[in-house]
Amino acid sequence: MGKTLFDKIWEKHVVRTIDGGPSVLYIDKHFIHEVTSPQAFAGLDKRGIRVLRPEQVVATADHNVPTIDQHLPIREELSRLQVDRLKKNCSEHGIELYGLGHPYQGIVHVIGPELGITQPGMTIVCGDSHTSTHGAFGNIAFGIGTSEVEMVLATQCLMQTRPKLMRINIDGTLNAGVVSKDIVLYILAKITASGATGYAVEFAGSAIRALSMEARMTICNMSIEMGARCGMIAPDETTIEYMKGRKFAPTGDAWIEKLKYWKELYSDKDVVFDKEIEIRAEEIEPMITYGTNPGMGVGVTGHVPNLSEIEEKEKPSFEKSLAYMGLQPGVNIRGKKVDYVFIGSCTNSRIEDLRMVASFVKGKHKANDVEVWVVPGSKQVEKQAIEEGIDKVFEAAGFMLRQPGCSACLGMNEDKIPAGKYCISTSNRNFEGRQGPNARTFLASPLTAALAAITGKVGDVREYYKNRELLIAGQEN
Amino acid sequence: MSRQINIVRSSAVPLNIENVDTDQIIPARFLKATSREGFGKNLFRDWRFENDDDNRPKPGFRLNDPTYGGKILVAAKNFGCGSSREHAAWAIKDAGFDVVVSSFFADIFKNNSLNNFLLPVTVGEKFLQTVFNAIETDPKTELEVDLPSQTIRLVGPGYEHSEAEKFEISDYKKTCLLNGYDDIDYLLSVKDDIQRYETERAI
């Protein structure tokens, strides 16, 4: 019998296996950031050991950095101390740091791929659950806790149990106005926020093959929201084209050698997955979440479930969630007013996302009572956006283009949504308090968020694609 | 903070809410510390207290209710989902818990707990409901979690004949928890294998 994409990579990285227990898995690349690494370095110090392979570790500051005035010292003391600690740890252990002010600084899951550090067939970890993003290149990439960060720093290995394997096939053609974020929110609504726990998920099918690398990253990024250990997509011509010429991509003979390996990375025809799910791309509409976990989503023309549609046992959690969101069972989401629009995060802050938003809002202006933040994923994305004049489009639309970082996705820095306000967000989590204490989050695609920025409410972006004139009609308040 | 787990007998705090994510367990704004200590005071911060400027406990939240207490937290399905922040496990352990019981744990949280000698015990839905009901009826109800035999059961008056529920844990992790070893101890012990792997792979 053939092998799965997952097993081909897994088997290549197992150093040894304990009988009836976990395997020692070798890690090729380790990304670290300021929030989940200081205790790991302190642990090394306590044990009196050094980082084993500093050249395989890359660091950036993203979670806890301001997104304005990045040239100034960080005002908030604890945040500054945390970022300084990262600097000190990296310099003491010889680790490359793309910190504030560096032209490569940005959200860890944006910079890895854009610099070509992320490559097919690798094992990649980071003390951040959205490490699953890198799986878009055909990697085993997953988030780890700080004790595990310490393990990888100390030994370049982790203790891991092989997960079960699931494949989600999405075949067909997406409707105009439906993008990769909608695919992943649709899957989440179908299988729930725990539907893939214990599994590594491979995304396959013609609709996936048709996506760009950046769109694929959005899907793998949110595989953790289904509980998956990791998400992955087999590398193909699109992947190889993307890799070419990247800063840290292999060159010359090394490139030819790597290509041979990359081209073997797919699930063989006769493999059997522990679970397989089929989805038609045509059935997917622009999605929006109404609740407090990413599995609580519906199509924009849908409604919040009625109590009768919810299992008895799940009612208390459902009602708690709606109470937090200030929504009633059965109401339509469409037409719901929003106060903030956040375009950013490791899910949707890449140049294609910014281009998508800019092409939609060009010549239009935001609704008066809406505040719009666009936070590019990296310095390189920011630079590219400025070169393409996207910054001018945003400025004319009344959007605020900020500087790179995780920002309002997790509300760790000052970028918080005020209590009780509604934010339509291109990020990945609508948990209670995620974007600020008592902030209310609707997760959506960059297009659906852009539409809400212009109209001030949740709408169906497909209507604008049916009628191109509407799309370029300008302000519509 | 105990680095070993063997038998834990204690009353328990019930938290019957599904899909509790690690942002609830410890909100991001409390992750700015660079040490592992002191996260317990902000455990479930936004559910426990009015707001950051107002330290009045919210009435009705079980962790604020002195009727409930003990070293065991009993949670509902998909506990610990979301962010990989180990601070969640640190906060629960720091608040005095040694065991979390649920019908279903999120992957990363489970690993983080095991790495911090906080034992995640996965039980069947039916057993979980029995435990919730028992605690609702009498908050002083005790549970006994026996790691060597991998069982959990209700104990005390009225539960003399209660059935024990088996739970799964790998032999490797069990040995770690019983003896206070961690994965780094093990990985450092196989360093030669790791270096051999690197050399062979490079060829």
Side-chain angles (χ1 to χ4, degrees):
Chain A
M1 199 172 84
K3 283 182 186 167
T4 58
L5 167 62
F6 181 90
D7 282 325
K8 285 178 183 176
I9 304 169
W10 174 269
E11 286 170 12
K12 230 180 155 69
H13 289 85
V14 171
V15 174
R16 60 179 288 159
T17 300
I18 299 174
D19 274 344
S23 296
V24 175
L25 189 72
Y26 190 80
I27 302 303
D28 293 322
K29 280 291 170 213
H30 185 194
F31 293 100
I32 60 170
H33 62 82
E34 74 277 26
V35 178
T36 59
S37 69
Q39 295 87 349
F41 283 104
L44 293 187
D45 290 346
K46 211 168 147 194
R47 290 173 201 256
I49 48 181
R50 306 269 311 157
V51 173
L52 181 68
R53 299 283 172 248
E55 65 281 7
Q56 285 169 243
V57 189
V58 177
T60 191
D62 56 0
H63 280 64
N64 197 5
V65 299
T67 56
I68 47 166
D69 295 335
Q70 287 185 345
H71 61 292
L72 299 175
I74 300 174
R75 272 183 307 191
E76 221 266 330
E77 195 196 352
L78 285 176
S79 303
R80 191 176 64 247
L81 288 175
Q82 204 173 48
V83 172
D84 285 348
R85 180 64 66 88
L86 179 70
K87 240 184 261 174
K88 181 171 165 279
N89 286 333
C90 287
S91 106
E92 279 179 9
H93 288 271
I95 293 167
E96 187 80 58
L97 167 66
Y98 303 135
L100 279 188
H102 194 285
Y104 298 159
Q105 181 267 337
I107 304 176
V108 63
H109 311 307
V110 175
I111 68 168
E114 78 182 359
L115 288 168
I117 298 168
T118 302
Q119 296 168 18
M122 285 180 159
T123 47
I124 299 177
V125 296
C126 172
D128 186 282
S129 60
H130 292 110
T131 308
S132 57
T133 313
H134 307 262
F137 292 78
N139 290 313
I140 297 179
F142 54 95
I144 55 176
T146 299
S147 295
E148 293 171 310
V149 170
E150 187 180 336
M151 285 170 215
V152 182
L153 290 174
T155 68
Q156 205 56 39
C157 286
L158 271 181
M159 305 298 290
Q160 282 288 307
T161 309
R162 181 185 170 280
K164 290 184 283 182
L165 305 182
M166 181 191 297
R167 181 160 61 187
I168 302 180
N169 300 294
I170 302 118
D171 283 298
T173 311
L174 292 172
N175 291 311
V178 178
V179 294
S180 71
K181 180 66 163 285
D182 299 307
I183 298 180
V184 72
L185 286 174
Y186 183 85
I187 298 170
L188 271 156
K190 220 175 162 88
I191 72 170
T192 79
S194 59
T197 303
Y199 291 90
V201 177
E202 181 179 341
F203 299 96
S206 61
I208 297 291
R209 296 261 75 88
L211 297 175
S212 70
M213 284 316 294
E214 297 195 355
R216 292 178 190 185
M217 283 186 240
T218 301
I219 293 181
C220 289
N221 172 275
M222 289 190 74
S223 48
I224 180 65
E225 310 313 335
M226 309 162 200
R229 177 81 59 84
C230 64
M232 59 202 313
I233 294 172
D236 58 9
E237 282 306 316
T238 306
T239 320
I240 292 165
E241 273 308 309
Y242 181 96
M243 290 304 304
K244 271 183 198 159
R246 301 260 154 200
K247 174 81 184 164
F248 295 105
T251 52
D253 287 347
W255 170 264
I256 294 164
E257 198 57 36
K258 286 284 181 201
L259 265 190
K260 255 193 267 172
Y261 172 48
W262 297 351
K263 288 189 171 171
E264 292 165 8
L265 299 173
Y266 53 86
S267 290
D268 295 325
K269 279 213 163 61
D270 54 346
V271 292
V272 178
F273 285 79
D274 297 294
K275 191 170 183 178
E276 201 142 10
I277 293 172
E278 311 287 336
I279 287 168
R280 287 301 309 174
E282 293 79 6
E283 47 183 69
I284 305 174
E285 37 170 343
M287 296 291 293
I288 187 106
T289 63
Y290 59 84
T292 53
N293 75 57
M296 300 175 85
V298 287
V300 283
T301 56
H303 62 84
V304 176
N306 287 297
L307 270 179
S308 58
E309 298 168 73
I310 302 294
E311 272 185 53
E312 199 55 44
K313 191 170 73 62
E314 287 170 5
K315 276 182 186 164
S317 301
F318 176 75
E319 285 176 319
K320 181 178 190 303
S321 183
L322 290 197
Y324 181 85
M325 289 298 292
L327 294 171
Q328 297 298 318
V331 299
N332 291 330
I333 303 287
R334 196 177 175 178
K336 186 80 203 153
K337 218 185 134 322
V338 302
D339 308 294
Y340 283 78
V341 178
F342 173 62
I343 292 160
S345 87
C346 55
T347 314
N348 284 121
S349 66
R350 298 179 177 82
I351 191 66
E352 285 181 13
D353 299 312
L354 268 48
R355 282 184 194 138
M356 196 193 303
V357 173
S359 74
F360 188 85
V361 304
K362 193 169 186 176
K364 304 189 187 75
H365 197 272
K366 73 173 184 70
N368 286 333
D369 43 1
V370 174
E371 193 159 330
V372 187
W373 296 341
V374 183
V375 182
S378 70
K379 289 305 281 181
Q380 295 205 85
V381 171
E382 181 188 43
K383 184 167 167 268
Q384 180 80 24
I386 291 169
E387 278 168 18
E388 294 181 17
I390 288 173
D391 58 330
K392 296 281 184 295
V393 175
F394 290 157
E395 199 185 324
F399 291 14
M400 186 183 190
L401 180 63
R402 301 174 74 98
Q403 291 171 306
C406 299
S407 184
C409 172
L410 83 163
M412 191 167 174
N413 68 355
E414 289 126 338
D415 306 349
K416 292 182 179 67
I417 308 302
K421 298 292 183 192
Y422 288 93
C423 176
I424 190 163
S425 175
T426 68
S427 57
N428 39 58
R429 288 182 176 145
N430 49 357
F431 298 151
E432 284 184 32
R434 173 80 179 181
Q435 296 197 287
N438 291 310
R440 292 156 164 171
T441 305
F442 295 129
L443 298 177
S445 80
L447 275 181
T448 301
L451 174 63
I454 303 302
T455 63
K457 52 197 182 204
V458 178
D460 186 349
V461 77
R462 285 172 302 182
E463 289 170 8
Y464 288 76
Y465 282 85
K466 271 185 217 148
N467 185 346
R468 298 295 297 184
E469 278 169 25
L470 262 179
L471 190 60
I472 47 174
Q475 190 167 353
E476 192 224 40
N477 276 333
Chain B
M1 206 176 290
S2 160
R3 251 184 86 97
Q4 263 165 292
I5 301 247
N6 196 304
I7 294 173
V8 179
R9 181 175 167 156
S10 162
S11 56
V13 180
L15 189 66
N16 197 356
I17 302 165
E18 293 187 349
N19 300 310
V20 171
D21 59 80
T22 53
D23 272 83
Q24 305 319 311
I25 299 173
I26 182 94
R29 61 189 187 281
F30 301 111
L31 308 185
K32 297 183 182 185
T34 51
S35 74
R36 287 173 179 247
E37 290 78 38
F39 289 99
K41 63 176 185 291
N42 290 315
L43 174 66
F44 292 110
R45 175 76 207 193
D46 293 341
W47 288 353
R48 266 167 80 194
F49 300 104
E50 287 300 333
N51 59 54
D52 287 1
D53 306 318
D54 184 349
N55 274 329
R56 272 178 307 167
K58 281 186 188 172
F61 186 57
R62 287 294 160 81
L63 269 85
N64 289 334
D65 187 341
T67 318
Y68 303 94
K71 294 177 183 172
I72 302 172
L73 181 66
V74 183
K77 194 176 91 178
N78 200 24
F79 187 77
C81 60
S83 160
S84 61
R85 60 189 69 165
E86 192 164 313
H87 313 65
W90 298 338
I92 294 172
K93 186 82 181 176
D94 192 44
F97 295 103
D98 285 328
V99 176
V100 187
V101 180
S102 171
S103 57
F104 197 96
F105 289 97
D107 229 19
I108 307 176
F109 175 79
K110 193 172 171 181
N111 278 343
N112 287 342
S113 298
L114 287 166
N115 286 332
N116 286 282
F117 303 91
L118 172 67
L119 177 64
V121 173
T122 308
V123 297
E125 272 295 339
K126 202 174 144 207
F127 182 81
L128 187 67
Q129 284 315 315
T130 308
V131 172
F132 276 130
N133 293 341
I135 302 170
E136 287 301 330
T137 313
D138 177 8
K140 298 279 171 268
T141 304
E142 288 194 322
L143 284 159
E144 187 177 80
V145 178
D146 183 326
L147 179 59
S149 73
Q150 294 177 223
T151 55
I152 174 171
R153 59 190 192 95
L154 290 158
V155 288
Y159 295 108
E160 289 82 1
H161 304 292
S162 78
E163 218 170 296
E165 173 101 345
K166 281 290 265 185
F167 64 86
E168 294 292 320
I169 183 168
S170 79
D171 288 344
Y172 164 77
K173 262 298 161 194
K174 187 165 150 181
T175 309
C176 285
L177 294 181
L178 288 170
N179 297 291
Y181 307 150
D182 62 27
D183 284 358
I184 302 187
D185 297 330
Y186 177 81
L187 286 168
L188 289 171
S189 78
V190 298
K191 223 169 166 182
D192 289 348
D193 285 6
I194 296 169
Q195 287 181 349
R196 196 175 314 120
Y197 168 88
E198 287 182 323
T199 317
E200 284 170 5
R201 204 167 76 136
I203 296 166

